[in-house]
Amino acid sequence: MKMEEIRHSLSHILAYSVKELFPDAKFGIGPSIENGFYYDIEVELKEEDLGKIEKKMKEILKKNIVFKNKEVTKEEAREIFADQPYKLQLIEEIPEETVSIYTSGDFVDLCKGPHVKSTKEIDSKAFKLQKLAGAYWKGDEKNPMLTRIYGLAFESEDKLEEHLKMMEEAEKRDHRKLGKELDLFHTDEEVGIGLILWHPKGAMLWRIIEDFWFKKHLQSGYELVRTPHIGNRRLWERSGHWGFYSGSMYPPLEVGQSLEELNNKSEVKESEQFLLKPMNCPFHVSIYSNKPRSYRDLPFRWAETGTVYRFEKKGELSGLTRVRGFTQDDAHIICRKDQVEEELKRVIDFILYIYQAFGFKQESVNVYLSLRDPDNKTKYAGNDEGWDFSESILRKVAEEKGLNFKEEKGEAAFYGPKLDFKIKDVLGREWQCSTLQFDFNLPERFQMEFTNDKGEKEQPYMLHRALFGSFERFIGLLIEHYAGAFPFWLSPIQIKILPVGEGHREYAREVAEKLDNFRVKIDDNNETIGKKIREGEMEKVPYLLVVGDREKENGTISVRQRGKIDLGEMKIEEFLKNLEK
RNA sequence: GCCGAUGUAGUUCAGUGGUAGAACAUCCCCUUGGUAAGGGGAAGGUCGUGGGUCCGAUUCUCACCAUCGGCUCCA
């Protein structure tokens, strides 16, 4: 609580300093946040101004400014903030007759508090202005963009230093950095931004994960389907994507002629438009509707690692976590109403199993139940009855499964409520991975139906779900989670054999043959053994096997475990036994 | 898309108004090695792209592109 007061007070001092240095500045809001504070201000700043502002803040802090709280009438407040349009707007939004203001030195702010009594309580060495960013007023793109100044603040200088060190350490785990260092993937402007090119080791990692995924899906009663990358415009019009999702879709391909004909400007007789798929759902629906379905056939659980393309705005792209082409580990469950609960539970169990299998602790995953906005019922597909049922059953199942979830009103998709699982990256940003969603839109639009036990046509329930979310995003988070040092089963190279000299290459190959159940590589570069070990360690290979005269003689290997010391000489059989453990 | 920052060899980085350097990686030669870098040599850059200022620009300036941090949006 105290720290929050300090941080919040610092944001006022920040605003105070900006006002001194830039008298025309217009102030938005300035709260305390995790690890610090910010203030949104209409003022033009460059990063080099931060130093000036920080200096000013320290000057002000030294003056032992007292924070004085006062209730004033709205009329008075309007006068005080006459030249502050954003504050005036806030005043009007306050329901009460009076508003609370805080005065600190020559600076007055509309504010509920709480604050420290005086700047004496603030350690002027324990804060630091961090960075500038743009932020829309009230978080709305249509509003003007203010300049947000972020600051860090802690109890003491030591704590601040500690935090900065921690951030530095975290940056070393960044998947974009490790992706380069471990030679996993890259992007190329010439190929297209936001499109990932997976290198051999990255593709191997992907494949290991996909194999695991495939095996587990078969075990869990899923069937695989496979669908194209493009679909006719008519399909996307019918699904609603053409209308509602166009902001995130690549524009259509005109298909009425070849590229050659196009280049020759030949006349087009007939033309169709095709769109890159941003989602797999309509294709799966097409499979469903391909023949009449009986209540006896349900549920269908159809999974596909489907690569989709979304035209994300440039500024939103980021490493593997936000890209333009990505592969969802998608599945659709089409079932009867009486099967919904059971299916939801199965999916949640599956999701939890996946997190456990990849070492994500439940506390590092945040779960959100996204519900409809009760004040805006018109923007949603489906009827109230369906929504009430699905929202309450999602909640019930989430509770029964012991999920520690937050409910978020108005966060549902227009087509249905959902349960989202988000994982934090190394910089503390949350990324949606697993998701479990109801869909009232597609069954309606595609008139999906089955024949029930009374011989009547009935509309099935449709669930979308993804476990990883996308392979790209999940692998990005996985790289950070393990800091690139993957567990044995996930390592693209599991074992590297290092012959000491040229004379040991033959023996290295013999050893490799005995380990052919594993992903093994021989490093037969003409380098010293020290160098090979260094490279193997930097590559984060779980086991390095040194073979030289001694080992060749004794029919053994010398094992070195990643990050650790020499485990000593042993027979291959013994090494294999240890691996099993 | 918007606000801010960055952009020099494959990588990590120096550097300058007079057409660029280091380390590692690469290639060649020597070395035949014992648990985190053996030695020598060579090659490698239209200094993100395109305009402008200047006798001259990688350096100053403008525009664009990409990347990074935010905002908005999202798997």
Side-chain angles (χ1 to χ4, degrees), chain A residues 10 14 39 96 110 115 149 190 196 240 246 253 280 310 323 396 402 418 446 462 490 497 503 513 557 569:
Chain A
L10 274 165
L14 164 60
Y39 215 113
E96 287 83 24
L110 180 72
H115 283 283
I149 305 171
E190 200 179 357
I196 308 295
S246 57
L253 307 157
N280 304 296
R310 297 185 185 173
V323 293
K396 176 178 175 227
K418 52 184 186 153
F446 286 92
M462 182 168 175
L490 282 170
I497 303 175
E513 253 170 60
I557 50 179
E569 201 177 326

Side-chain angles (χ1 to χ4, degrees), chain A residues 182-333:
Chain A
L182 300 177
D183 196 16
L184 300 174
F185 65 89
H186 85 287
T187 56
D188 179 354
E189 261 184 74
E190 200 179 357
V191 172
I193 59 173
L195 303 173
I196 308 295
L197 295 120
W198 291 92
H199 300 12
K201 282 192 278 180
M204 179 58 84
L205 178 60
W206 178 305
R207 184 55 187 248
I208 296 159
I209 295 170
E210 190 174 10
D211 279 349
F212 172 81
W213 180 92
F214 172 59
K215 210 171 88 195
K216 292 298 161 191
H217 275 72
L218 287 192
Q219 284 171 5
S220 305
Y222 285 80
E223 295 173 297
L224 290 195
V225 292
R226 250 180 125 83
T227 64
H229 287 75
I230 59 174
N232 197 297
R233 168 176 175 164
R234 291 194 306 274
L235 174 81
W236 300 108
E237 283 176 338
R238 187 168 178 199
S239 70
H241 289 92
W242 181 271
F244 296 125
Y245 206 70
S246 57
S248 299
M249 286 175 76
Y250 279 86
L253 307 157
E254 284 285 338
V255 185
Q257 59 181 349
S258 69
L259 174 60
E260 187 183 25
E261 287 164 331
L262 177 74
N263 287 340
N264 293 338
K265 299 203 168 75
S266 65
E267 202 187 315
V268 186
K269 292 184 191 84
E270 262 176 52
S271 179
E272 282 185 304
Q273 291 186 326
F274 282 78
L275 289 147
L276 277 167
K277 65 172 169 184
M279 293 181 188
N280 304 296
C281 332
F283 296 104
H284 292 196
V285 171
S286 174
I287 295 172
Y288 180 85
S289 299
N290 185 241
K291 64 179 190 183
R293 304 291 182 177
S294 155
Y295 73 100
R296 290 183 226 268
D297 300 329
L298 301 178
F300 289 110
R301 304 188 195 98
W302 287 339
E304 170 175 22
T305 52
T307 303
V308 298
Y309 294 88
R310 297 185 185 173
F311 192 75
E312 305 291 359
K313 292 185 206 163
K314 275 184 226 155
E316 289 161 353
L317 298 174
S318 173
L320 290 176
T321 42
R322 194 75 186 272
V323 293
R324 282 186 170 170
F326 59 97
T327 302
Q328 294 180 314
D329 66 316
D330 208 357
H332 293 95
I333 297 167

Side-chain angles (χ1 to χ4, degrees), chain A residues 366-368 370 418-422 432 434-437:
Chain A
N366 289 326
V367 187
Y368 299 89
S370 300
K418 52 184 186 153
L419 197 61
D420 291 326
F421 293 67
K422 300 186 187 183
Q432 184 178 315
S434 311
T435 184
L436 172 52
Q437 316 180 342

